[in-house]
């Protein structure tokens, strides 16, 4: 396959998931145009002709390129490539793959499975590009490459090969995803980039702890990034005004008891500081993380995330009422990160479910908001996209036992 005709990662993943559902033993029954085309070698006929053994060899090559460990083992069980599992039903293969990670079947289905199949798809795309498939960077030694392409000591030719740019095109950072909620079809925008790159969104929700203490601006969290981007600086980059922090302190001084935390689920609204130049009008700080005494860790409860997002929508309505009285345009667009999925310890799937519970309830009441979700990592974007696609009432996959 020509590097200029690389298959879309999402299309490859969709067919890998079809194989997982059916199993290798039923490849002949599946319509897999992308994988079939990728398995076609020169002079083997048109890509549409059945070549099920070639598809199986391609999958085995991609899984082997993962490089061992739990990721490869789970992929082999998931697809029926492990010895003795070829004729296992999908529920049994999923149960065995979940045991590799030591988690429940349901947790594996919602979290690790998508990561595992996504990595298989990644290796398949690498193979299609003509580059050698590579295992994920884990610090372990990679499997040996083809003879003559890399030396055993990893010098010269190996370094040259590793430094060559990939032919795979850049993944898009914005996705419009159709969902059905409140009995109506609508679209949700998924952003896959840093929060300080957002543009023209009225309200951005920022996760916070129950003391409403912002992290230092040099850190990488959503809250730290918003604080940094909202600060006013002079032409030399020197801090003039820490706008977001100052407004949040003013809110705390007015509404919170001195030295005490606010209740989990509290939302404190502030201006956006210098982010106003990017079209960001407000930042809503959602207090969902409860500091654990004597540690640097936090506890986050999904119910508090749902309560905070519910409060976000109530605040939107309140502020829109005041905006109407003042003759200002209403707040219409809202961007939500995966609250509690960082140091709060929630898995991305649990965080999304907690956020969506409040979103769906608001939409069912007739809320007509322009909704956005924000993640930084592509694998989380893939998970959120799958969860959004399954909201229609019919799950994207069989739930399994």
């Amino acid at each position: 396959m020509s590097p200029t005709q690389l298959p879309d990662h999402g299309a490859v993943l969709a067919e890998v998931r079809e194989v997982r559902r059916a199993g290798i033993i039923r490849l002949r029954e599946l319509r897999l145009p992308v994988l079939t085309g990728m398995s076609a070698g020169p002079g083997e006929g048109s890509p549409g002709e059945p070549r099920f053994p070639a598809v199986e060899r391609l999958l085995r090559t991609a899984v082997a390129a993962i490089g061992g460990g739990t990721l490869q083992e789970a992929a082999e069980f998931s697809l029926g490539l492990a010895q003795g599992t070829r004729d296992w039903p999908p529920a049994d293969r999923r149960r065995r793959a979940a045991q590799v990670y030591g988690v429940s079947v349901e947790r594996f289905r919602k979290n690790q499975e998508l990561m595992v199949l996504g990595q298989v798809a990644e290796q398949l795309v690498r193979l299609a590009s003509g580059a050698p498939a590579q295992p994920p960077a884990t610090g372990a030694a990679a499997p040996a490459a083809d003879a003559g392409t890399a030396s055993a000591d990893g010098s010269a030719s190996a370094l040259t090969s590793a430094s060559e740019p990939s032919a795979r095109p850049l993944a898009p950072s914005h996705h419009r995803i159709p969902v059905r909620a409140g009995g109506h079809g609508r679209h949700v925008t998924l952003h896959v980039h840093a929060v300080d790159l957002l543009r023209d969104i009225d309200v951005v929700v920022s996760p916070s702890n129950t003391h409403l203490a912002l992290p230092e601006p040099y850190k990488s969290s959503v809250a730290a990034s918003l604080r940094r981007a909202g600060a006013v600086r002079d032409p030399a980059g020197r801090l003039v005004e820490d706008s977001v922090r100052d407004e949040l302190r003013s809110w705390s001084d007015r509404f919170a008891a001195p030295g005490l935390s606010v209740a989990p689920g509290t939302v404190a609204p502030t201006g956006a500081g210098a982010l106003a130049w990017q079209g960001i009008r407000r930042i809503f700080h959602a207090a969902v993380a409860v500091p654990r005494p004597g540690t640097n860790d936090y506890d986050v409860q999904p119910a508090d995330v749902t309560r905070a997002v519910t409060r976000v929508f109530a605040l939107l309505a309140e502020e829109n009422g005041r905006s109407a009285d003042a003759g200002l345009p209403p707040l219409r667009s809202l961007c939500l990160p995966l609250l509690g999925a960082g140091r709060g310890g929630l898995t991305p799937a649990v965080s999304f479910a907690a956020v969506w519970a409040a979103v769906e309830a608001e939409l069912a009441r007739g809320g007509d908001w322009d909704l956005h979700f924000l993640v930084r990592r592509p694998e989380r974007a893939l998970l959120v996209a799958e969860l959004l696609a399954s909201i229609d009432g019919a799950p994207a996959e069989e739930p399994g036992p």
Side-chain angles (χ1 to χ4, degrees):
M1 181 173 291
S2 167
T4 62
Q5 299 175 327
L6 287 181
D8 175 71
H9 181 274
V12 175
L13 176 60
E15 294 194 2
V16 171
R17 296 183 71 205
E18 283 295 318
V19 175
R20 192 216 69 79
R21 277 189 283 263
I24 291 294
I25 200 169
R26 293 174 57 192
L27 272 180
R28 184 177 296 274
E29 304 170 24
L30 301 179
R31 184 178 179 276
L32 305 170
V34 178
L35 291 180
T36 302
M38 293 169 67
S39 68
E44 294 185 16
S46 66
E49 293 180 4
R51 268 184 297 271
F52 306 110
V55 172
E56 180 176 345
R57 286 196 299 272
L58 179 68
L59 288 168
R60 289 186 180 277
T61 300
V63 170
I66 290 175
T70 55
L71 193 62
Q72 179 175 334
E73 187 179 0
E76 291 171 342
F77 282 117
S78 294
L79 298 174
L81 297 174
Q83 185 174 3
T85 64
R86 188 179 186 86
D87 61 344
W88 283 17
D92 290 350
R93 287 187 276 107
R94 175 178 277 161
R95 183 184 301 109
R96 184 63 183 86
Q99 292 173 359
V100 172
Y101 281 95
V103 298
S104 69
V105 173
E106 186 65 10
R107 181 172 180 182
F108 176 79
R109 181 180 74 87
K110 293 180 177 179
N111 294 276
Q112 287 89 349
E113 184 172 271
L114 202 56
M115 173 189 68
V116 169
L117 299 183
Q119 188 57 47
V120 174
E122 181 70 31
Q123 301 299 340
L124 286 166
V125 173
R126 283 183 179 276
L127 289 170
S129 73
Q134 297 176 359
T138 60
D146 292 341
T149 62
S151 60
D153 61 1
S155 62
S157 60
L159 292 175
T160 302
S161 174
S163 63
E164 291 177 356
S166 171
R168 183 185 173 190
L170 292 175
S173 58
H174 299 81
H175 305 265
R176 290 275 288 170
I177 301 173
V179 298
R180 189 166 185 83
H184 302 284
R186 60 183 71 234
H187 283 80
V188 170
T189 303
L190 177 61
H191 300 257
V192 191
H193 55 68
V195 67
D196 51 3
L197 297 180
L198 290 171
R199 296 291 189 277
D200 300 318
I201 293 177
D202 295 328
V203 178
V204 179
V205 176
S206 176
S208 178
N209 57 60
T210 51
H211 289 276
L212 296 175
L214 290 178
E216 293 301 319
Y218 55 79
K219 294 189 175 181
S220 61
S221 65
V222 170
S225 298
L226 287 171
R227 175 183 177 181
R228 180 173 60 250
V232 178
R233 299 180 182 275
D234 66 16
R238 291 185 293 264
L239 181 66
V240 174
E241 183 180 353
D242 199 347
S243 307
V244 177
R245 184 204 62 180
D246 294 346
E247 283 201 43
L248 188 56
R249 282 183 175 176
S250 296
W251 189 95
S252 296
D253 291 342
R254 181 179 178 187
F255 295 105
L260 298 180
S261 61
V262 298
T266 298
V267 179
T270 69
L275 282 168
W277 293 103
Q278 297 175 202
I280 310 298
R281 297 170 60 187
R282 302 288 280 166
I283 298 175
F284 285 2
H285 304 265
V288 295
V290 180
R292 193 179 301 166
T295 72
N296 292 322
D297 300 324
Y298 296 90
D299 292 314
V300 177
Q301 299 300 321
D304 293 333
V305 171
T306 303
R307 189 177 301 112
V309 178
T310 301
R311 178 59 183 152
V312 163
F313 286 115
L315 271 176
L316 279 170
E318 292 173 15
E319 295 210 0
N320 278 344
R322 291 193 290 270
S323 296
D325 293 340
L328 298 174
L331 302 170
R332 288 278 300 110
S333 51
L334 172 69
C335 185
L336 293 154
L338 295 180
L339 297 171
R343 290 181 61 195
L346 297 184
T347 66
V350 170
S351 171
F352 176 83
V355 170
W356 186 257
V359 170
E360 189 172 36
E362 173 66 17
L363 298 180
R365 287 193 294 267
D368 186 23
W369 308 102
D370 178 15
L371 292 173
H372 301 249
F373 284 90
L374 174 76
V375 296
R376 288 195 63 172
R377 291 157 52 183
E379 62 269 25
R380 289 194 173 185
L382 193 61
L383 173 63
V384 172
E386 284 293 325
L387 293 171
L388 284 168
S390 68
I391 285 169
D392 195 354
E397 290 195 46
E398 75 278 10

